[in-house]
Amino acid sequence: MEEELSGKIYDGQIMRRLFRYLAPYKKAVLASVLLLLANSVVQVIGPLLTKTAIDRYLVPSAETPVTPIDRWLPADPWMGLAVLSGIYFTALFLGMIFEFTQTFLMTWTGQKAMFGLRKEVFGHLQKLDISFFDRSPIGRLVTRVTTDIDVLNELFSSGLVTILGDLLMLTFVIVAMFQLSPGMTLLLLAILPVVLWVTIIFRKSVSISYQQTRIAIAKINSYLQEHIHGIAVLQLFNREDKSMEEFRQINAEHKDAFKDSIFAYGWFYPIVEFLSMLALASLLAYGGFKAEQGEVTLGIVVAFFQYGLRFFRPIQDLSEKYNILQSAMAASERVLKLLDTKPSIVSPQNEKDLPPQKLGIEFDQVSFAYKHEEWVLKNVSFQIAPGETVAVVGHTGAGKTTLMSLLMRFYDIQSGSIRIGGMDIRNLRLESLRSVFGVVLQDPYLFTGTLAENIRLGSESIPEEKMRWAARQVNLLDYIESLPEQFNHPIRERGAGLSTGQKQLVSFARALVHDPQILILDEATSSVDTETETRIRAALDHLVTGRTSIIIAHRLSTIQRADRILVMHKGELREMGTHQELLAMRGIYYKLYELQYKEQEKKEALPKERLSSLGTAESA
């Protein structure tokens, strides 16, 4: 629905905010305005020079009034025409220089301003809450940073200042025409209401087309992002034809909307051209009659023809600039609305930093819901001593990962408190809070760059020796050394080209190399083979020693040596103890363990049954 905002024709408050991005370049903008003013004056000079050449040298008349320029011109016709031609050529050359410089300055300024705006939007997106991205499609956010800001660039580079230039041109042309002949000027202006009426119709039709085009572009961006990201699933389920048909429909919407704008431009310019030629034909008849009566000179009639051509061109440009302005208002409204979205999770005013020591964790009567009163956690309380390793288990949806998200303050709890090192996390500076965690997620995420950049993740102070140590600990070093460029091996988007297990190992190395005070493993070994998992567990036995660690796992075999195990069930902490203590309770943990043990027995027995049946078949 945000794409359907039509926007106002002009919003002073929005424009004032947009001008803030032009403020650093106000000298360039001022120079551009002065160049427009100079170019408008130069454009007016040409017809006056033509009038002087005709009335003084080509068709001289005794009734022709003497102008100030006549006193500076030579009496000889050939010399006079040469001087006027030189002045005319100079005016044309200066107009070309003025227009080029003005266009260059405003295009450069627009790019600089949009660079700052796009940088601000991206920086703002990184500060928004995770909940914002839960409800905002990525394709829409991409549209904000790309298409919408490009529209604003068009406004700055060829919109606002050019509109001023067109208005200056119209003003100077009308003033010059009134000075030459008020009657002929009124005749030319008589056609203006019809031109304005045609322009209004054109503006409405193009505005609708532009709005539909923006909606279609947003749909295309969203659809592409979603389906390219899920291309493996599409191919697995043979859904390419269905997706192609859906994309064809969305693409057809964009094509039809654009066709409507092409049609509008197709009839608008010929009609305005026809009206302008009709006005010039009227001038020819009226001016010829007046010249015959001796009320105007032939030079004035010819000058009016030249002014007439200059009169209708700005009107055509203004109608197009109007649509640019309206589109820019809608785009800026959406971009500024994004910038006005304030993160609810921020560092407090009296922020504090965590001390560089072993940290304990405490959940005190914590309740949390992603949506109003749909509780994911209910009065959860537990403590983790500094240096203790705690595992969290439970069925899918029990709230295990939510505990970790709350601990790192990706979301704020509705009631209770969470303390680290005895300090409430809501009183801590966000950077200080999150810097103490090392996290390995079930779905590893790698960025475009090199292996070293993905392991360091911006911490350039980490030496290569430490990266090698971390890679060796997680059984990744042999693979890295087999690569031609080793740690400089290029990583494509989302780690394409690496297996899921290799990406998981890179995530492990990333967590180890930053030497976190608190280590969180969220189903971290689910994507590696059994042998690699065994080696990782051996390395983690050394890593978690003396470090506060939390391990979330479905496979209970991976957490049996934890100091304590927390059993979550339907958002509540139902059981707590060591592996043996929980088995003795014969509660939820016992049932989970028994279920997995039986499933493992079935998996191990299945190959034996197949071999037995195969042997029976061979003997038969």
Side-chain angles (χ1 to χ4, degrees):
M1 292 298 295
E2 289 185 15
E3 307 301 328
E4 298 178 10
L5 293 173
S6 60
K8 299 179 182 179
I9 299 173
Y10 180 84
D11 190 313
Q13 185 177 3
I14 289 178
M15 289 306 303
R16 282 192 294 272
R17 292 186 62 179
L18 291 179
F19 280 139
R20 180 167 60 88
Y21 298 97
L22 289 176
Y25 318 105
K26 55 187 177 183
K27 292 182 179 179
V29 175
L30 179 60
S32 182
V33 172
L34 293 176
L35 287 169
L36 274 174
L37 179 62
N39 189 40
S40 299
V41 173
V42 167
Q43 293 295 325
V44 172
I45 290 175
L48 292 177
L49 295 174
T50 303
K51 169 195 170 296
T52 302
I54 293 173
D55 290 345
R56 181 177 177 86
Y57 298 113
L58 299 180
V59 189
S61 173
E63 290 81 11
T64 303
V66 178
T67 61
I69 194 174
D70 292 329
R71 298 189 180 92
W72 298 93
L73 292 173
D76 181 69
W78 290 106
M79 286 295 297
L81 289 174
V83 171
L84 289 174
S85 298
I87 297 174
Y88 206 146
F89 174 80
T90 303
L92 291 175
F93 181 77
L94 289 176
M96 179 186 68
I97 297 298
F98 293 157
E99 186 171 358
F100 166 78
T101 308
Q102 182 271 327
T103 302
F104 176 83
L105 282 177
M106 283 313 301
T107 303
W108 176 84
T109 301
Q111 288 296 323
K112 287 284 188 179
M114 292 308 98
F115 172 82
L117 178 58
R118 193 173 276 118
K119 181 180 177 181
E120 182 178 346
V121 171
F122 181 73
H124 182 72
L125 283 172
Q126 295 186 92
K127 297 176 183 177
L128 292 177
D129 306 333
I130 300 298
S131 58
F132 171 82
F133 298 97
D134 292 341
R135 62 178 184 270
S136 300
I138 296 177
R140 180 187 297 173
L141 299 178
V142 171
T143 302
R144 296 291 168 273
V145 183
T146 54
T147 306
D148 284 340
I149 292 184
D150 283 340
V151 172
L152 295 181
N153 177 49
E154 189 176 5
L155 171 69
F156 286 136
S157 61
S158 61
L160 287 177
V161 176
T162 311
I163 289 175
L164 177 60
D166 290 335
L167 292 175
L168 286 172
M169 174 71 73
L170 276 175
T171 302
F172 289 154
V173 166
I174 293 174
V175 170
M177 289 193 301
F178 260 109
Q179 291 294 324
L180 294 176
S181 173
M184 294 180 68
T185 303
L186 292 175
L187 178 63
L188 188 63
L189 292 177
I191 202 72
L192 190 59
V194 182
V195 175
L196 292 177
W197 176 69
V198 172
T199 302
I200 291 172
I201 296 175
F202 164 76
R203 187 192 66 211
K204 288 181 179 179
S205 60
V206 170
S207 296
I208 296 173
S209 173
Y210 279 177
Q211 180 179 344
Q212 293 173 343
T213 302
R214 289 195 303 269
I215 296 171
I217 289 175
K219 288 181 179 179
I220 288 174
N221 287 341
S222 297
Y223 194 89
L224 279 175
Q225 185 275 330
E226 184 176 20
H227 284 70
I228 291 177
H229 182 63
I231 189 66
V233 178
L234 290 178
Q235 294 180 355
L236 177 64
F237 287 89
N238 297 316
R239 201 177 180 272
E240 295 96 330
D241 292 339
K242 178 65 175 176
S243 296
M244 191 65 191
E245 176 60 25
E246 292 176 354
F247 184 77
R248 187 197 66 78
Q249 294 176 3
I250 297 174
N251 200 25
E253 292 179 15
H254 180 267
K255 179 191 68 175
D256 293 340
F258 214 83
K259 277 168 52 180
D260 292 341
S261 67
I262 293 174
F263 177 76
Y265 278 99
W267 64 256
F268 173 69
Y269 282 107
I271 289 180
V272 173
E273 188 72 17
F274 170 77
L275 292 174
S276 64
M277 291 300 104
L278 182 63
L280 292 178
S282 302
L283 280 179
L284 178 61
Y286 181 79
F289 175 75
K290 290 293 184 180
E292 185 70 22
Q293 297 294 320
E295 297 182 16
V296 296
T297 64
L298 182 60
I300 291 177
V301 176
V302 174
F304 257 87
F305 268 85
Q306 292 181 324
Y307 279 130
L309 295 174
R310 287 166 170 77
F311 177 79
F312 286 100
R313 187 176 63 189
I315 294 177
Q316 291 176 322
D317 290 341
L318 283 172
S319 62
E320 185 173 353
K321 298 303 184 293
Y322 173 92
N323 292 303
I324 292 176
L325 183 60
Q326 190 178 40
S327 298
M329 287 297 103
S332 58
E333 187 178 354
R334 292 190 294 268
V335 172
L336 294 176
K337 182 180 178 181
L338 175 60
L339 289 174
D340 289 338
T341 302
K342 302 298 182 184
S344 59
I345 298 177
V346 295
S347 300
Q349 291 185 348
N350 300 320
E351 59 185 26
K352 301 177 182 178
D353 290 340
L354 284 168
Q357 63 187 36
K358 295 179 181 179
L359 300 171
I361 298 170
E362 181 181 359
F363 276 64
D364 185 8
Q365 296 293 312
V366 171
S367 295
F368 173 75
Y370 290 103
K371 295 181 180 180
H372 183 64
E373 294 187 355
E374 294 181 11
W375 300 106
V376 179
L377 298 178
K378 308 170 188 175
N379 299 319
V380 176
S381 296
F382 62 86
Q383 292 183 358
I384 302 176
E388 186 179 16
T389 299
V390 170
V392 184
V393 300
H395 293 289
T396 301
K400 304 184 296 298
T401 300
T402 299
L403 286 174
M404 302 306 103
S405 296
L406 296 178
L407 183 60
M408 293 177 283
R409 210 183 168 204
F410 289 147
Y411 304 88
D412 267 341
I413 59 179
Q414 277 81 13
S415 65
S417 63
I418 302 174
R419 291 182 282 274
I420 296 180
M423 305 169 68
D424 194 307
I425 61 173
R426 288 170 291 193
N427 296 329
L428 297 172
R429 185 169 59 91
L430 283 178
E431 292 80 1
S432 174
L433 168 65
R434 292 169 182 170
S435 66
V436 302
F437 291 99
V439 184
V440 181
L441 302 174
Q442 181 178 5
D443 183 19
Y445 196 99
L446 301 185
F447 297 90
T448 303
T450 65
L451 266 174
E453 290 170 347
N454 271 280
I455 294 175
R456 288 191 177 108
L457 210 60
S459 301
E460 299 299 330
S461 60
I462 297 175
E464 185 172 333
E465 293 76 14
K466 192 171 184 179
M467 287 196 298
R468 286 185 173 275
W469 168 83
R472 184 180 299 110
Q473 293 297 312
V474 300
N475 197 33
L476 183 64
L477 186 59
D478 290 343
Y479 168 72
I480 294 177
E481 290 181 338
S482 70
L483 299 171
E485 299 176 77
Q486 298 195 8
F487 281 95
N488 291 322
H489 177 72
I491 300 296
R492 289 175 286 169
E493 185 179 7
R494 295 185 61 83
L498 299 181
S499 70
T500 304
Q502 288 168 338
K503 288 188 285 187
Q504 191 69 280
L505 292 177
V506 174
S507 296
F508 265 103
R510 176 192 294 166
L512 296 183
V513 81
H514 284 84
D515 193 21
Q517 295 172 262
I518 301 174
L519 181 66
I520 297 177
L521 307 179
D522 189 354
E523 294 289 348
T525 59
S526 61
S527 301
V528 297
D529 57 79
T530 305
E531 181 184 357
T532 305
E533 180 186 357
T534 302
R535 296 184 181 183
I536 289 176
R537 285 212 306 267
L540 290 178
D541 286 341
H542 300 288
L543 179 67
V544 300
T545 302
R547 190 193 310 273
T548 306
S549 304
I550 303 174
I551 303 173
I552 299 174
H554 278 108
R555 284 190 278 186
L556 303 185
S557 59
T558 62
I559 48 93
Q560 293 181 14
R561 286 186 286 180
D563 297 325
R564 274 188 303 152
I565 300 173
L566 309 181
V567 183
M568 299 294 299
H569 185 68
K570 295 183 178 180
E572 297 179 345
L573 179 59
R574 299 291 290 273
E575 298 174 3
M576 182 167 50
T578 64
H579 173 67
Q580 295 298 332
E581 290 172 348
L582 292 174
L583 288 179
M585 293 181 186
R586 302 183 72 85
I588 297 173
Y589 183 82
Y590 176 82
K591 293 178 180 178
L592 289 172
Y593 183 79
E594 187 179 42
L595 182 62
Q596 288 193 15
Y597 182 73
K598 288 181 178 179
E599 288 180 352
Q600 185 64 30
E601 281 186 334
K602 290 179 181 179
K603 291 177 181 179
E604 292 175 354
L606 188 58
K608 297 178 182 179
E609 292 176 2
R610 288 178 177 172
L611 287 172
S612 177
S613 61
L614 181 60
T616 304
E618 288 177 349
S619 62

